[in-house]
Every structure is written in structure tokens, then in C-alpha cells.
Coordinates of all heavy atoms in Angstrom, one line a residue:
M20 N 11.3 -11.1 -13.1 CA 12.3 -10.1 -13.2 C 12.8 -10.0 -14.7 O 12.8 -11.0 -15.3 CB 13.5 -10.4 -12.3 CG 13.1 -10.2 -10.9 SD 14.7 -10.1 -9.9 CE 14.0 -9.7 -8.4
L21 N 13.2 -8.9 -15.1 CA 13.6 -8.6 -16.4 C 15.1 -8.3 -16.4 O 15.6 -7.8 -15.4 CB 12.8 -7.5 -17.0 CG 11.3 -7.7 -17.0 CD1 10.6 -6.4 -17.4 CD2 10.9 -8.8 -17.9
R22 N 15.7 -8.3 -17.5 CA 17.1 -7.9 -17.7 C 17.1 -6.6 -18.5 O 16.4 -6.5 -19.5 CB 17.9 -8.9 -18.4 CG 18.2 -10.2 -17.7 CD 19.2 -9.9 -16.6 NE 19.8 -11.1 -16.2 CZ 20.7 -11.1 -15.2 NH1 21.1 -10.0 -14.7 NH2 21.2 -12.3 -14.8
S23 N 17.9 -5.7 -18.1 CA 18.0 -4.4 -18.8 C 19.2 -4.5 -19.7 O 20.0 -5.5 -19.7 CB 18.2 -3.2 -17.9 OG 19.5 -3.3 -17.3
A24 N 19.4 -3.5 -20.6 CA 20.5 -3.5 -21.5 C 21.9 -3.6 -20.7 O 22.8 -4.1 -21.2 CB 20.5 -2.3 -22.4
G25 N 21.9 -3.0 -19.5 CA 23.1 -3.0 -18.7 C 23.3 -4.3 -18.0 O 24.2 -4.5 -17.1
H26 N 22.5 -5.3 -18.2 CA 22.6 -6.7 -17.6 C 22.3 -6.7 -16.1 O 22.8 -7.6 -15.4 CB 23.9 -7.3 -17.9 CG 24.1 -7.5 -19.4 ND1 23.4 -8.4 -20.1 CD2 25.0 -6.9 -20.2 CE1 23.8 -8.3 -21.4 NE2 24.8 -7.4 -21.5
R27 N 21.7 -5.7 -15.6 CA 21.3 -5.8 -14.2 C 19.9 -6.2 -14.1 O 19.1 -6.0 -15.0 CB 21.5 -4.4 -13.5 CG 20.6 -3.4 -13.9 CD 20.6 -2.2 -13.0 NE 19.5 -1.3 -13.3 CZ 19.6 -0.1 -13.7 NH1 20.7 0.4 -14.0 NH2 18.5 0.5 -14.0
T28 N 19.5 -6.9 -13.1 CA 18.2 -7.3 -12.9 C 17.3 -6.2 -12.4 O 17.7 -5.4 -11.5 CB 18.1 -8.5 -11.9 OG1 19.0 -9.5 -12.3 CG2 16.8 -9.1 -11.8
V29 N 16.1 -6.0 -13.0 CA 15.2 -5.0 -12.6 C 13.9 -5.6 -12.2 O 13.5 -6.7 -12.7 CB 15.1 -3.9 -13.6 CG1 16.4 -3.1 -13.9 CG2 14.6 -4.5 -14.9
T30 N 13.1 -4.9 -11.4 CA 11.8 -5.4 -11.1 C 10.8 -5.0 -12.2 O 11.2 -4.2 -13.1 CB 11.3 -4.8 -9.7 OG1 11.2 -3.4 -9.9 CG2 12.3 -5.1 -8.6
G31 N 9.6 -5.4 -12.1 CA 8.5 -5.1 -13.0 C 8.3 -3.6 -13.1 O 7.9 -3.0 -14.1
S32 N 8.6 -2.9 -12.0 CA 8.5 -1.4 -12.0 C 9.7 -0.7 -12.6 O 9.7 0.5 -12.7 CB 8.3 -0.9 -10.5 OG 9.5 -1.2 -9.8
G33 N 10.7 -1.5 -13.0 CA 11.9 -0.9 -13.5 C 13.0 -0.5 -12.5 O 14.0 0.0 -12.8
E34 N 12.7 -0.7 -11.2 CA 13.6 -0.4 -10.2 C 14.7 -1.4 -10.0 O 14.4 -2.6 -10.1 CB 12.9 -0.2 -8.8 CG 13.8 0.1 -7.7 CD 13.0 0.2 -6.4 OE1 12.1 -0.6 -6.2 OE2 13.4 1.1 -5.6
D35 N 15.9 -1.0 -9.8 CA 17.0 -1.8 -9.5 C 16.8 -2.4 -8.1 O 16.8 -1.6 -7.1 CB 18.3 -1.1 -9.6 CG 19.6 -1.9 -9.5 OD1 19.5 -3.0 -8.9 OD2 20.6 -1.5 -10.0
P36 N 16.7 -3.7 -7.9 CA 16.5 -4.3 -6.6 C 17.7 -4.0 -5.7 O 17.5 -4.0 -4.4 CB 16.3 -5.8 -6.9 CG 16.8 -6.0 -8.2 CD 16.8 -4.7 -9.0
R37 N 18.8 -3.8 -6.2 CA 20.0 -3.4 -5.3 C 19.7 -2.1 -4.6 O 20.0 -2.0 -3.4 CB 21.3 -3.3 -6.1 CG 21.7 -4.6 -6.8 CD 22.9 -4.4 -7.7 NE 22.6 -3.4 -8.7 CZ 23.5 -2.9 -9.6 NH1 24.7 -3.3 -9.6 NH2 23.1 -2.0 -10.4
A38 N 19.1 -1.2 -5.3 CA 18.8 0.1 -4.6 C 17.7 -0.1 -3.6 O 17.8 0.5 -2.5 CB 18.3 1.1 -5.7
A39 N 16.7 -0.9 -3.8 CA 15.7 -1.2 -2.8 C 16.3 -1.9 -1.6 O 15.9 -1.6 -0.5 CB 14.6 -2.0 -3.5
E40 N 17.2 -2.8 -1.9 CA 17.9 -3.5 -0.8 C 18.7 -2.5 0.1 O 18.7 -2.6 1.3 CB 18.8 -4.6 -1.3 CG 19.5 -5.4 -0.2 CD 20.4 -6.5 -0.7 OE1 20.4 -6.7 -2.0 OE2 21.1 -7.0 0.1
L41 N 19.4 -1.6 -0.6 CA 20.2 -0.6 0.1 C 19.3 0.3 0.9 O 19.6 0.5 2.1 CB 21.1 0.2 -0.9 CG 21.9 1.3 -0.3 CD1 22.9 0.7 0.8 CD2 22.7 2.0 -1.4
R42 N 18.2 0.7 0.4 CA 17.3 1.6 1.1 C 16.8 0.9 2.4 O 16.7 1.5 3.5 CB 16.1 2.0 0.3 CG 16.3 3.3 -0.5 CD 15.1 3.9 -1.1 NE 14.2 2.9 -1.8 CZ 14.4 2.5 -3.0 NH1 15.4 3.0 -3.7 NH2 13.6 1.6 -3.6
A43 N 16.4 -0.4 2.2 CA 15.9 -1.2 3.4 C 17.0 -1.3 4.5 O 16.7 -1.2 5.6 CB 15.4 -2.5 2.9
A44 N 18.2 -1.6 4.0 CA 19.3 -1.8 5.0 C 19.6 -0.5 5.7 O 19.8 -0.5 6.9 CB 20.6 -2.3 4.3
V45 N 19.6 0.6 5.0 CA 19.9 1.9 5.6 C 18.8 2.3 6.5 O 19.1 2.8 7.7 CB 20.1 3.0 4.5 CG1 20.0 4.4 5.1 CG2 21.4 2.8 3.7
S46 N 17.6 2.0 6.2 CA 16.4 2.3 7.0 C 16.5 1.5 8.3 O 16.3 2.1 9.4 CB 15.1 2.0 6.3 OG 14.0 2.3 7.1
R47 N 16.9 0.3 8.2 CA 17.0 -0.6 9.4 C 18.1 -0.1 10.3 O 17.9 0.0 11.5 CB 17.3 -2.0 8.9 CG 17.0 -3.1 9.8 CD 17.2 -4.5 9.2 NE 16.4 -4.6 7.9 CZ 16.9 -4.9 6.7 NH1 18.2 -5.1 6.6 NH2 16.2 -5.0 5.7
L48 N 19.2 0.3 9.8 CA 20.3 0.8 10.6 C 20.0 2.1 11.2 O 20.3 2.4 12.4 CB 21.6 0.9 9.8 CG 22.9 1.3 10.6 CD1 23.1 0.4 11.8 CD2 24.1 1.3 9.6
C49 N 19.3 3.0 10.5 CA 18.8 4.2 11.1 C 17.9 4.0 12.3 O 18.1 4.7 13.3 CB 18.0 5.1 10.0 SG 19.0 5.9 8.8
R50 N 17.0 3.1 12.2 CA 16.1 2.7 13.3 C 16.9 2.2 14.5 O 16.7 2.6 15.6 CB 15.1 1.7 12.9 CG 14.0 2.3 12.0 CD 12.8 1.4 11.8 NE 13.2 0.0 11.4 CZ 13.3 -0.4 10.1 NH1 13.1 0.5 9.2 NH2 13.6 -1.6 9.8
E51 N 17.9 1.3 14.2 CA 18.7 0.8 15.3 C 19.5 1.9 15.9 O 19.7 1.9 17.2 CB 19.7 -0.3 14.7 CG 18.9 -1.6 14.3 CD 19.8 -2.6 13.6 OE1 21.1 -2.4 13.7 OE2 19.3 -3.6 13.1
L52 N 20.1 2.8 15.2 CA 20.9 3.9 15.7 C 20.0 4.8 16.5 O 20.4 5.2 17.6 CB 21.5 4.7 14.5 CG 22.4 5.8 14.9 CD1 23.6 5.4 15.8 CD2 23.0 6.5 13.7
A53 N 18.8 5.1 16.1 CA 17.9 6.0 16.8 C 17.5 5.3 18.1 O 17.3 6.0 19.1 CB 16.6 6.3 16.0
A54 N 17.4 4.0 18.2 CA 17.0 3.3 19.4 C 18.1 3.1 20.3 O 17.9 2.7 21.5 CB 16.3 2.0 19.0
H55 N 19.3 3.2 19.9 CA 20.5 3.0 20.7 C 20.6 4.0 21.8 O 20.7 5.2 21.5 CB 21.8 2.9 19.8 CG 23.0 2.4 20.5 ND1 23.1 1.1 21.0 CD2 24.1 3.0 20.9 CE1 24.2 0.9 21.6 NE2 24.9 2.1 21.6
P56 N 20.7 3.6 23.0 CA 20.6 4.6 24.1 C 21.9 5.4 24.3 O 21.9 6.5 24.8 CB 20.3 3.7 25.3 CG 20.8 2.4 25.0 CD 20.7 2.2 23.5
A57 N 23.0 4.8 24.0 CA 24.3 5.4 24.3 C 24.6 6.5 23.3 O 24.3 6.4 22.1 CB 25.4 4.4 24.3
D58 N 25.2 7.6 23.8 CA 25.7 8.7 22.9 C 27.1 8.4 22.7 O 27.8 7.9 23.6 CB 25.4 10.0 23.6 CG 25.6 11.2 22.6 OD1 25.5 10.9 21.4 OD2 25.7 12.3 23.0
F59 N 27.6 8.7 21.5 CA 29.1 8.5 21.2 C 29.5 9.6 20.3 O 28.6 10.3 19.6 CB 29.4 7.1 20.6 CG 28.4 6.7 19.5 CD1 28.8 6.9 18.2 CD2 27.3 6.0 19.8 CE1 27.9 6.6 17.2 CE2 26.4 5.6 18.8 CZ 26.7 5.9 17.5
P60 N 30.7 9.9 20.3 CA 31.2 11.2 19.6 C 30.8 11.3 18.2 O 30.5 12.4 17.7 CB 32.7 11.1 19.8 CG 33.0 10.2 20.9 CD 31.8 9.2 20.9
D61 N 30.8 10.3 17.4 CA 30.6 10.4 16.0 C 29.2 10.0 15.5 O 28.9 9.7 14.4 CB 31.6 9.5 15.2 CG 33.0 10.1 15.3 OD1 33.1 11.3 15.4 OD2 33.9 9.3 15.2
R62 N 28.2 10.0 16.5 CA 26.9 9.7 16.2 C 26.3 10.6 15.1 O 25.6 10.1 14.1 CB 26.0 9.8 17.4 CG 24.6 9.3 17.2 CD 23.8 9.4 18.5 NE 22.6 8.6 18.4 CZ 22.2 7.6 19.1 NH1 23.0 7.2 20.1 NH2 21.1 6.9 18.9
A63 N 26.5 11.9 15.1 CA 26.0 12.8 14.1 C 26.6 12.5 12.7 O 25.9 12.6 11.7 CB 26.3 14.2 14.5
V64 N 27.9 12.1 12.7 CA 28.5 11.7 11.4 C 27.8 10.5 10.8 O 27.4 10.5 9.6 CB 30.0 11.4 11.6 CG1 30.6 10.8 10.3 CG2 30.8 12.6 12.1
A65 N 27.5 9.5 11.7 CA 26.8 8.3 11.2 C 25.4 8.7 10.7 O 25.0 8.2 9.6 CB 26.7 7.3 12.3
E66 N 24.7 9.5 11.4 CA 23.3 9.9 11.0 C 23.4 10.7 9.7 O 22.5 10.5 8.8 CB 22.7 10.8 12.1 CG 22.3 10.0 13.3 CD 22.0 10.8 14.5 OE1 22.2 12.0 14.5 OE2 21.4 10.2 15.5
E67 N 24.4 11.6 9.5 CA 24.5 12.3 8.2 C 24.8 11.4 7.1 O 24.2 11.6 6.0 CB 25.6 13.4 8.4 CG 25.2 14.6 9.3 CD 26.4 15.5 9.6 OE1 27.4 15.4 8.9 OE2 26.2 16.3 10.5
E68 N 25.7 10.5 7.3 CA 26.1 9.6 6.2 C 25.0 8.6 5.8 O 24.8 8.2 4.7 CB 27.4 8.9 6.5 CG 28.6 9.8 6.5 CD 28.8 10.5 5.2 OE1 28.5 9.9 4.1 OE2 29.3 11.6 5.2
L69 N 24.2 8.2 6.8 CA 23.1 7.3 6.5 C 22.0 8.1 5.7 O 21.4 7.5 4.8 CB 22.4 6.8 7.8 CG 23.2 5.7 8.5 CD1 22.8 5.4 9.9 CD2 23.1 4.4 7.7
A70 N 21.8 9.4 6.0 CA 20.9 10.2 5.2 C 21.4 10.3 3.8 O 20.7 10.3 2.8 CB 20.8 11.6 5.9
E71 N 22.8 10.4 3.6 CA 23.4 10.5 2.3 C 23.1 9.2 1.6 O 22.8 9.2 0.4 CB 24.9 10.8 2.4 CG 25.6 10.8 1.1 CD 25.4 12.0 0.2 OE1 24.8 13.0 0.7 OE2 25.7 11.9 -0.9
L72 N 23.3 8.1 2.2 CA 23.1 6.8 1.5 C 21.6 6.6 1.1 O 21.3 6.1 0.1 CB 23.5 5.6 2.4 CG 25.0 5.2 2.4 CD1 25.2 4.0 3.4 CD2 25.5 4.9 1.0
A73 N 20.8 7.1 2.0 CA 19.3 7.0 1.7 C 19.0 7.8 0.4 O 18.3 7.4 -0.5 CB 18.5 7.5 2.9
A74 N 19.6 9.0 0.4 CA 19.4 9.9 -0.8 C 20.0 9.3 -2.1 O 19.3 9.3 -3.1 CB 19.9 11.3 -0.5
L75 N 21.2 8.7 -1.9 CA 21.8 8.1 -3.1 C 21.0 6.9 -3.6 O 20.9 6.7 -4.8 CB 23.2 7.6 -2.7 CG 24.3 8.7 -2.5 CD1 25.5 8.1 -1.9 CD2 24.5 9.5 -3.8
S76 N 20.5 6.1 -2.7 CA 19.7 4.9 -3.1 C 18.4 5.3 -3.7 O 17.8 4.6 -4.5 CB 19.5 3.9 -1.9 OG 18.7 4.5 -0.9
A77 N 17.8 6.4 -3.4 CA 16.6 6.9 -3.9 C 16.7 7.4 -5.4 O 15.7 7.4 -6.1 CB 16.0 8.0 -3.0
D78 N 17.9 7.7 -5.7 CA 18.2 8.2 -7.1 C 18.3 7.1 -8.1 O 18.5 7.3 -9.3 CB 19.5 9.0 -7.1 CG 19.4 10.3 -6.5 OD1 18.2 10.8 -6.3 OD2 20.4 10.9 -6.1
G79 N 18.1 5.8 -7.7 CA 18.1 4.7 -8.7 C 19.5 4.0 -8.6 O 19.7 3.2 -7.8
T80 N 20.4 4.3 -9.5 CA 21.7 3.6 -9.5 C 22.7 4.7 -9.1 O 23.2 5.5 -9.8 CB 22.0 3.1 -11.0 OG1 21.0 2.3 -11.4 CG2 23.3 2.4 -10.9
P81 N 23.1 4.6 -7.8 CA 24.0 5.6 -7.3 C 25.5 5.4 -7.7 O 25.8 4.3 -8.2 CB 23.9 5.3 -5.8 CG 23.4 3.9 -5.6 CD 22.6 3.6 -6.8
E82 N 26.3 6.4 -7.6 CA 27.7 6.3 -7.9 C 28.4 5.5 -6.9 O 28.3 5.8 -5.7 CB 28.3 7.7 -7.9 CG 27.7 8.6 -9.0 CD 28.3 10.0 -8.9 OE1 29.4 10.2 -8.4 OE2 27.6 11.0 -9.2
I83 N 29.1 4.4 -7.3 CA 29.7 3.5 -6.4 C 30.8 4.1 -5.5 O 30.8 3.9 -4.3 CB 30.3 2.3 -7.2 CG1 29.1 1.5 -7.8 CG2 31.1 1.4 -6.3 CD1 29.5 0.5 -8.9
P84 N 31.6 5.0 -6.0 CA 32.6 5.7 -5.1 C 31.9 6.4 -4.0 O 32.4 6.4 -2.8 CB 33.4 6.6 -6.0 CG 33.3 6.0 -7.4 CD 31.9 5.4 -7.4
R85 N 30.8 7.1 -4.3 CA 30.1 7.9 -3.2 C 29.5 6.9 -2.2 O 29.5 7.2 -1.0 CB 29.0 8.7 -3.8 CG 29.6 9.9 -4.6 CD 28.6 10.8 -5.2 NE 27.9 11.5 -4.1 CZ 26.8 12.2 -4.3 NH1 26.2 12.2 -5.5 NH2 26.2 12.8 -3.3
L86 N 29.0 5.8 -2.7 CA 28.4 4.8 -1.8 C 29.5 4.3 -0.8 O 29.3 4.2 0.4 CB 27.9 3.5 -2.5 CG 26.6 3.7 -3.3 CD1 26.3 2.3 -4.0 CD2 25.5 4.0 -2.4
R87 N 30.7 3.9 -1.4 CA 31.8 3.4 -0.6 C 32.3 4.4 0.4 O 32.7 4.1 1.5 CB 32.9 2.9 -1.5 CG 32.4 1.7 -2.3 CD 33.5 0.8 -2.8 NE 33.0 -0.3 -3.5 CZ 32.5 -1.5 -2.9 NH1 32.5 -1.5 -1.6 NH2 32.1 -2.5 -3.6
T88 N 32.4 5.7 0.0 CA 32.8 6.7 0.9 C 31.9 6.9 2.1 O 32.3 7.0 3.2 CB 33.0 8.1 0.2 OG1 33.9 7.9 -0.9 CG2 33.4 9.2 1.1
S89 N 30.6 6.9 1.8 CA 29.6 7.0 2.9 C 29.7 5.8 3.8 O 29.7 5.9 5.0 CB 28.2 7.1 2.4 OG 28.0 8.4 1.8
L90 N 29.9 4.6 3.2 CA 30.0 3.4 4.0 C 31.2 3.4 4.9 O 31.1 3.1 6.1 CB 30.1 2.2 3.1 CG 30.3 0.8 3.8 CD1 29.1 0.5 4.8 CD2 30.4 -0.3 2.8
L91 N 32.3 3.9 4.4 CA 33.5 4.0 5.2 C 33.3 5.0 6.4 O 33.8 4.7 7.5 CB 34.7 4.4 4.4 CG 35.3 3.3 3.5 CD1 36.3 3.9 2.5 CD2 35.9 2.2 4.3
R92 N 32.7 6.1 6.1 CA 32.4 7.1 7.2 C 31.5 6.5 8.3 O 31.7 6.7 9.5 CB 31.9 8.4 6.6 CG 32.9 9.1 5.8 CD 32.4 10.4 5.2 NE 33.4 11.1 4.5 CZ 33.1 11.9 3.5 NH1 31.9 12.2 3.1 NH2 34.1 12.5 2.8
I93 N 30.5 5.8 7.8 CA 29.6 5.2 8.8 C 30.3 4.1 9.6 O 30.2 4.1 10.9 CB 28.4 4.5 8.1 CG1 27.5 5.6 7.4 CG2 27.5 3.7 9.0 CD1 26.5 5.1 6.4
A94 N 31.1 3.3 9.0 CA 31.8 2.3 9.7 C 32.8 2.9 10.7 O 32.9 2.4 11.8 CB 32.6 1.4 8.7
G95 N 33.4 4.0 10.3 CA 34.3 4.7 11.2 C 33.6 5.3 12.4 O 34.1 5.3 13.5
A96 N 32.4 5.7 12.1 CA 31.6 6.4 13.2 C 31.0 5.4 14.2 O 30.9 5.7 15.4 CB 30.5 7.3 12.6
I97 N 30.5 4.3 13.7 CA 29.8 3.3 14.6 C 30.4 2.0 14.7 O 29.9 1.1 15.3 CB 28.3 3.2 14.2 CG1 28.2 2.5 12.8 CG2 27.6 4.5 14.3 CD1 26.7 2.2 12.5
G98 N 31.6 1.8 14.0 CA 32.2 0.5 14.0 C 32.5 -0.2 15.3 O 32.5 -1.4 15.5
S99 N 32.7 0.7 16.3 CA 33.0 0.1 17.7 C 31.8 -0.1 18.5 O 31.9 -0.6 19.6 CB 34.0 1.1 18.4 OG 33.3 2.3 18.6
V100 N 30.6 0.2 18.0 CA 29.4 0.0 18.7 C 28.8 -1.4 18.3 O 28.2 -1.6 17.3 CB 28.3 1.1 18.5 CG1 27.1 0.9 19.3 CG2 28.9 2.5 18.8
S101 N 29.1 -2.4 19.2 CA 28.8 -3.8 18.8 C 27.3 -4.0 18.6 O 26.9 -4.9 17.7 CB 29.3 -4.8 19.8 OG 28.8 -4.5 21.1
A102 N 26.5 -3.3 19.2 CA 25.0 -3.4 19.1 C 24.6 -3.1 17.7 O 23.5 -3.5 17.3 CB 24.3 -2.6 20.1
L103 N 25.3 -2.3 17.0 CA 25.0 -1.9 15.6 C 25.7 -2.6 14.5 O 25.5 -2.4 13.3 CB 25.2 -0.4 15.5 CG 24.5 0.5 16.5 CD1 25.0 2.0 16.3 CD2 23.0 0.4 16.3
S104 N 26.5 -3.6 14.9 CA 27.3 -4.3 13.9 C 26.5 -5.1 12.9 O 26.9 -5.2 11.7 CB 28.3 -5.2 14.6 OG 27.7 -6.2 15.3
G105 N 25.4 -5.7 13.3 CA 24.6 -6.4 12.4 C 24.0 -5.5 11.3 O 24.0 -5.9 10.1
G106 N 23.4 -4.4 11.7 CA 22.9 -3.5 10.8 C 23.9 -2.9 9.9 O 23.7 -2.7 8.7
L107 N 25.1 -2.6 10.4 CA 26.2 -2.1 9.6 C 26.6 -3.1 8.5 O 26.9 -2.8 7.4 CB 27.4 -1.7 10.5 CG 28.6 -1.2 9.7 CD1 28.3 0.0 8.9 CD2 29.7 -0.9 10.8
A108 N 26.7 -4.4 8.9 CA 27.0 -5.5 8.0 C 26.0 -5.6 6.9 O 26.4 -5.8 5.7 CB 27.1 -6.8 8.7
Q109 N 24.7 -5.4 7.2 CA 23.7 -5.4 6.1 C 23.9 -4.3 5.1 O 23.7 -4.4 3.9 CB 22.3 -5.4 6.7 CG 22.0 -6.7 7.4 CD 20.6 -6.7 8.1 OE1 20.1 -5.6 8.4 NE2 20.1 -7.8 8.5
V110 N 24.2 -3.1 5.6 CA 24.4 -1.9 4.8 C 25.7 -2.2 3.9 O 25.6 -2.0 2.7 CB 24.6 -0.6 5.6 CG1 25.1 0.5 4.7 CG2 23.3 -0.3 6.3
R111 N 26.7 -2.8 4.5 CA 27.9 -3.1 3.7 C 27.6 -4.1 2.6 O 28.0 -3.9 1.5 CB 29.0 -3.6 4.6 CG 30.3 -3.9 3.8 CD 31.3 -4.7 4.6 NE 30.8 -6.0 5.2 CZ 30.6 -7.1 4.5 NH1 30.9 -7.2 3.2 NH2 30.1 -8.2 5.1
E112 N 26.9 -5.1 2.9 CA 26.5 -6.1 1.9 C 25.7 -5.5 0.8 O 25.9 -5.8 -0.4 CB 25.7 -7.3 2.6 CG 26.6 -8.1 3.5 CD 25.8 -9.1 4.4 OE1 24.6 -9.2 4.2 OE2 26.4 -9.7 5.2
A113 N 24.8 -4.6 1.1 CA 24.0 -3.9 0.1 C 24.8 -3.1 -0.8 O 24.6 -3.0 -2.0 CB 22.8 -3.1 0.8
V114 N 25.8 -2.4 -0.2 CA 26.7 -1.5 -1.0 C 27.5 -2.4 -1.9 O 27.7 -2.1 -3.1 CB 27.6 -0.6 -0.1 CG1 28.7 0.0 -0.9 CG2 26.7 0.4 0.6
D115 N 28.0 -3.6 -1.4 CA 28.9 -4.5 -2.1 C 28.1 -5.0 -3.3 O 28.8 -5.4 -4.3 CB 29.3 -5.6 -1.3 CG 30.5 -5.2 -0.3 OD1 31.0 -4.1 -0.5 OD2 30.8 -6.0 0.6
R116 N 26.8 -5.1 -3.3 CA 26.1 -5.7 -4.4 C 26.2 -4.8 -5.7 O 25.9 -5.2 -6.8 CB 24.6 -5.8 -4.1 CG 24.4 -6.9 -3.0 CD 23.1 -7.6 -3.1 NE 22.7 -8.3 -1.9 CZ 23.4 -9.3 -1.4 NH1 24.5 -9.6 -1.8 NH2 22.9 -9.9 -0.3
F117 N 26.6 -3.5 -5.5 CA 26.8 -2.6 -6.6 C 28.1 -2.9 -7.3 O 28.3 -2.3 -8.4 CB 26.6 -1.2 -6.2 CG 25.2 -0.7 -5.9 CD1 24.6 -0.8 -4.7 CD2 24.4 -0.3 -7.0 CE1 23.3 -0.5 -4.4 CE2 23.1 0.1 -6.8 CZ 22.6 0.0 -5.5
G118 N 29.0 -3.6 -6.7 CA 30.2 -4.0 -7.4 C 31.3 -2.9 -7.1 O 31.1 -2.0 -6.3
E119 N 32.4 -3.1 -7.8 CA 33.5 -2.2 -7.7 C 33.3 -1.0 -8.7 O 32.7 -1.1 -9.7 CB 34.8 -2.9 -8.1 CG 35.2 -4.0 -7.1 CD 35.6 -3.4 -5.8 OE1 36.2 -2.4 -5.7 OE2 35.2 -4.0 -4.8
P120 N 33.9 0.2 -8.3 CA 33.8 1.3 -9.2 C 34.6 1.1 -10.4 O 35.6 0.3 -10.4 CB 34.4 2.5 -8.4 CG 35.1 1.8 -7.2 CD 34.5 0.5 -7.0
R121 N 34.2 1.7 -11.6 CA 34.9 1.5 -12.8 C 36.3 2.3 -12.7 O 36.3 3.3 -12.1 CB 34.1 2.1 -14.0 CG 32.9 1.2 -14.2 CD 32.2 1.8 -15.5 NE 30.9 1.1 -15.6 CZ 29.9 1.6 -16.1 NH1 29.9 2.8 -16.5 NH2 28.8 0.9 -16.2
R122 N 37.2 1.7 -13.3 CA 38.6 2.3 -13.3 C 38.8 3.0 -14.7 O 38.4 2.5 -15.7 CB 39.7 1.3 -13.1 CG 39.5 0.4 -11.9 CD 40.3 1.0 -10.8 NE 40.3 0.0 -9.7 CZ 39.9 0.4 -8.5 NH1 39.7 1.7 -8.2 NH2 39.9 -0.5 -7.5
G123 N 39.5 4.2 -14.6 CA 39.9 4.8 -15.8 C 39.0 5.5 -16.6 O 39.2 6.0 -17.6

């Protein structure tokens, strides 16, 4: 692994591994949500926000406030579905790896 000027670790291909981790976590949660048999009122919200996170992670280094907003919406939509809590936790951890948004 190499270091970039921004001090983030990048792979040999130049991709930020945090973005790859986020894509993998989002993909995993999407599969779990698709396989979940129960319908719940905010399922469409969760699906839309997962698609947003996937798009953000594909862009390389996403905007942290947008990541956190999508994460909050997903958590609000599926937070009470215990079968999805593991996948949601992985997405949260992947978002947290991007750090806090810059202030000011």
C-alpha cells in the first residue's frame, strides 16, 4: 500500500480502500435486505439510501456529510429490524472510517 499526499492509504490501483470497504458493506446489506421476507413501512427508503451510498462510494472519496445523512436514514428505516442489524453495523463502521466532516 502507498500513501497519498492526503495521508490516506491507497491500493496499488490508486483506490481508497475505505471506499471499497463501504461498497462491500453496502452490497452485503442490500443482499440481506432483498432476502428479508418481511415488508416494513420504510423498506423503500432503506433501498433508496443504500443505492445512494453505493453511488457515493463509487465516486472515490465521498462527501462525509452525505455519507452520514444516508446512514442516518438507513438506520431510521431498518434500525428496528434485528435481522439486519449486523449488516447495518458494518455499513456504519465503513462510514466511520471516513472520519468526521470538516468544520468551518
Side-chain angles (χ1 to χ4, degrees):
M20 292 196 170
L21 305 170
R22 290 285 200 183
S23 74
H26 300 291
R27 71 170 191 243
T28 305
V29 295
T30 63
S32 67
E34 178 183 35
D35 185 337
R37 299 173 302 174
E40 180 183 353
L41 178 58
R42 271 195 312 279
V45 167
S46 178
R47 203 171 306 122
L48 183 54
C49 283
R50 287 191 308 271
E51 290 175 10
L52 181 59
H55 190 68
D58 196 19
F59 47 93
D61 291 331
R62 187 180 193 121
V64 171
E66 291 168 345
E67 289 171 14
E68 291 301 327
L69 284 166
E71 175 72 13
L72 276 182
L75 290 171
S76 66
D78 289 342
T80 305
E82 296 176 29
I83 296 168
R85 289 181 70 195
L86 287 178
R87 294 200 177 281
T88 298
S89 287
L90 177 61
L91 285 172
R92 289 180 181 155
I93 293 165
I97 66 173
S99 64
V100 182
S101 61
L103 301 174
S104 63
L107 178 59
Q109 290 176 342
V110 171
R111 182 192 53 79
E112 290 168 7
V114 167
D115 285 348
R116 294 209 196 303
F117 284 91
E119 292 295 320
R121 292 186 189 147
R122 305 264 188 232

